[in-house]
Amino acid sequence: MHPLPANENLRLLFWARVREFAVPPSMIESATARRSAGDWAGACAAARVDVDLNLRAISRTHGGWLAAQVRADLRHLAPDLLRWHFPRIAPDGLLRPGLTVSLARYGEFHLVARTPPAWADAGQRISLALWSPSQRAAGLHPHPRPDRRYRLDLHRHLWDVRRAGELRERSGRWPPDENAIQLPGGVGPCAVDRWTAEAALLLRAEGRTDGVVAVRLTSRHRLMLDIGAGDRTRAAPVLPDAATWVLPDLELLHARLLDVDQLHPLVAAALRPGHRPGAARNSTATGNSRLVDCRGATHRIGVVNGVLVPLDHDPGEIRREELLGALGGPELPCLRAIDEAHRSPESLVDVRARLDHGDAAGALAAVEGLLGPDVLLRSGALRDELETAVDRQVVHGLYRAGLAGYAQPYWPGPAARHASHRGHPRHATSR
């Protein structure tokens, strides 16, 4: 592993955490199985992608040709791969809120993927819809028009299984050339070797063969890329972020912060052709008990009748130790371990990360692994996080139903944590 500057380490650790929690293996397996069986709607449901379009209505309103093209793309959409590559923001690596991303264009129509605004981002869900310039609104969504900076219609390899193999060629070179542009602030390495080809693709999509393309490096710095000898007076299109930066997965592999087997299978197949997936990692859990170093001896704590208790102390000793602790005496290590497991468990950060990324099943599995199945949670941070996740799901349901009046959350959650970052897009943004 090569030494990295401090800010670069933080950025890569950010992406390593995103890859660990944002798209869990269970989601990938379920979505892939349903897509392989021809159930594109089931694949979307497994990847927490809501489908806000009706193919029959599209056929009646806009013609069968459009419905057929949309249907073909939906059949080859890997919604879990889309979630893997979707734009994210710091500090928690959540989906960029209130964003509309173009996935495919059919004349004036766009197949778009949207994220809800930050106040309704519970579950980290994505929605699919059909958009055209004549559409003026999209319910309560703040930005229904496709974003020029975040567009994937020119990067189908980031969501279309038919094109996933192109990722290796189009993800940028790593390590970069010695003459590659180096930017301060840990914003990421530029995919300079791909800029000319990607700019040509962008110009062709705009109906042009040459001209100037703007490359957004930071919120204050742009580079103008001159392709050919076209009209310099026309507005310069912006090179999409997906073409501007090196794929973070390449950096993670190079820094050994991620194994190939931890990548999305389609990403792994593209970056490491011929790689055979390794054996599943064995769980280190031994039943429902955990080992505790208790006054020079190794003791067990485990779940009995839904309650986490010490297994190697008799009830009389436990009562005496609890009384001693209540009077200010040193607490029995087994009792202290139980209290910490409920109030500030070692994996609380992981549980919160799974809840923030919408993985309620993974969060509950982590809780069961820590405290045992059917455990009765005492009041504390862990219980508060689970209850807050339920409350936020209610707000998301109100947003989906088109009900106004819930523009700000009333609890500290991911939306509140991100509020202070929105004034500095480059520092808050991770591709």
Side-chain angles (χ1 to χ4, degrees):
M1 175 174 170
H2 298 280
L4 297 170
N7 53 15
E8 193 70 0
N9 266 318
L10 290 176
R11 192 181 66 82
L12 288 182
L13 290 175
F14 164 89
W15 275 111
R17 189 166 182 80
V18 168
R19 293 308 187 227
E20 181 179 2
F21 296 112
V23 191
S26 58
M27 172 187 290
I28 296 174
E29 293 171 5
S30 180
T32 300
R34 297 183 185 186
R35 174 178 53 78
S36 300
D39 182 10
W40 64 265
C44 288
R48 297 197 300 275
V49 174
D50 301 308
V51 182
D52 293 337
L53 55 85
N54 186 303
L55 293 175
R56 291 183 179 179
I58 293 174
S59 180
R60 289 194 304 267
T61 306
H62 304 293
W65 66 273
L66 178 59
Q69 292 187 70
V70 174
R71 182 182 292 107
D73 281 337
L74 291 176
R75 285 175 175 171
H76 295 93
L77 166 69
D80 47 312
L81 183 63
L82 172 64
R83 181 177 292 275
W84 184 274
H85 290 299
F86 210 87
R88 297 182 176 275
I89 61 172
D92 297 321
L94 304 188
L95 298 174
R96 172 168 278 274
L99 183 64
T100 297
V101 173
S102 178
L103 301 183
R105 297 181 64 175
Y106 320 100
E108 67 169 327
F109 295 95
H110 293 246
L111 175 64
V112 298
R114 290 193 174 107
T115 52
W119 59 268
D121 67 354
Q124 288 289 278
R125 302 188 72 87
I126 300 172
S127 62
L128 299 177
L130 193 66
W131 179 88
S132 70
S134 60
Q135 180 181 345
R136 298 184 179 275
L140 299 178
H141 198 279
H143 306 292
R145 179 179 292 272
D147 194 289
R148 290 196 310 160
R149 176 182 168 193
Y150 302 106
R151 56 183 295 184
L152 299 182
D153 57 304
L154 302 179
H155 299 84
R156 281 178 169 260
H157 57 285
L158 301 182
W159 61 268
D160 189 331
V161 295
R162 295 169 295 186
R163 307 278 291 276
E166 299 176 8
L167 181 67
R168 180 180 176 87
E169 176 187 354
R170 299 186 63 180
S171 59
R173 181 184 297 125
W174 186 260
D177 293 336
E178 294 181 358
N179 298 324
I181 297 176
Q182 300 294 330
L183 296 174
V187 296
C190 302
V192 180
D193 59 299
R194 287 293 309 168
W195 282 0
T196 301
E198 297 291 344
L201 290 174
L202 175 60
L203 289 172
R204 284 200 296 271
E206 299 292 327
R208 300 159 61 180
T209 57
D210 48 28
V212 176
V213 172
V215 181
R216 186 186 187 280
L217 301 179
T218 70
S219 58
R220 297 182 179 180
H221 299 88
R222 292 197 179 194
L223 182 148
M224 307 308 292
L225 191 62
D226 194 347
I227 304 296
D231 185 1
R232 305 300 187 271
T233 63
R234 300 178 65 177
V238 179
L239 193 69
D241 258 34
T244 303
W245 309 99
V246 171
L247 183 73
D249 295 328
L250 285 172
E251 302 176 73
L252 292 172
L253 289 174
H254 184 74
R256 299 178 185 173
L257 293 176
L258 199 70
D259 295 331
V260 178
D261 292 334
Q262 294 174 287
L263 293 173
H264 188 289
L266 292 173
V267 175
L271 297 183
R272 297 289 187 270
H275 172 77
R276 294 183 178 182
R281 297 178 179 177
N282 295 325
S283 173
T284 58
T286 57
N288 293 329
S289 63
R290 298 177 63 200
L291 301 180
V292 177
D293 185 6
C294 184
R295 297 177 179 175
T298 301
H299 289 170
R300 300 165 300 148
I301 60 175
V303 178
V304 177
N305 296 326
V307 179
L308 189 62
V309 297
L311 300 178
D312 297 314
H313 296 274
D314 61 73
E317 182 184 7
I318 293 300
R319 284 193 295 270
R320 291 194 299 272
E321 292 291 342
E322 288 177 336
L323 178 59
L324 180 61
L327 295 175
E331 193 172 20
L332 188 70
C334 283
L335 294 179
R336 185 167 60 248
I338 291 172
D339 187 67
E340 290 176 354
H342 281 284
R343 299 186 183 278
S344 55
E346 295 175 351
S347 64
L348 177 58
V349 174
D350 295 346
V351 172
R352 181 185 294 114
R354 288 182 170 89
L355 290 174
D356 287 349
H357 286 287
D359 184 15
L364 292 176
V367 172
E368 289 189 354
L370 178 68
L371 302 179
D374 302 323
V375 69
L376 301 178
L377 290 180
R378 298 188 297 185
S379 60
L382 179 57
R383 183 172 176 176
D384 291 344
E385 283 291 329
L386 295 173
E387 291 177 346
T388 297
V390 173
D391 291 340
R392 289 184 56 79
Q393 290 287 352
V394 174
V395 175
H396 179 76
L398 293 171
Y399 163 75
R400 291 282 299 165
L403 300 177
Y406 292 85
Q408 294 293 333
Y410 59 91
W411 55 78
R417 291 199 294 269
H418 297 323
S420 62
H421 294 268
R422 292 188 182 123
H424 307 282
R426 168 44 56 192
H427 297 292
T429 300
S430 293
R431 303 178 298 286

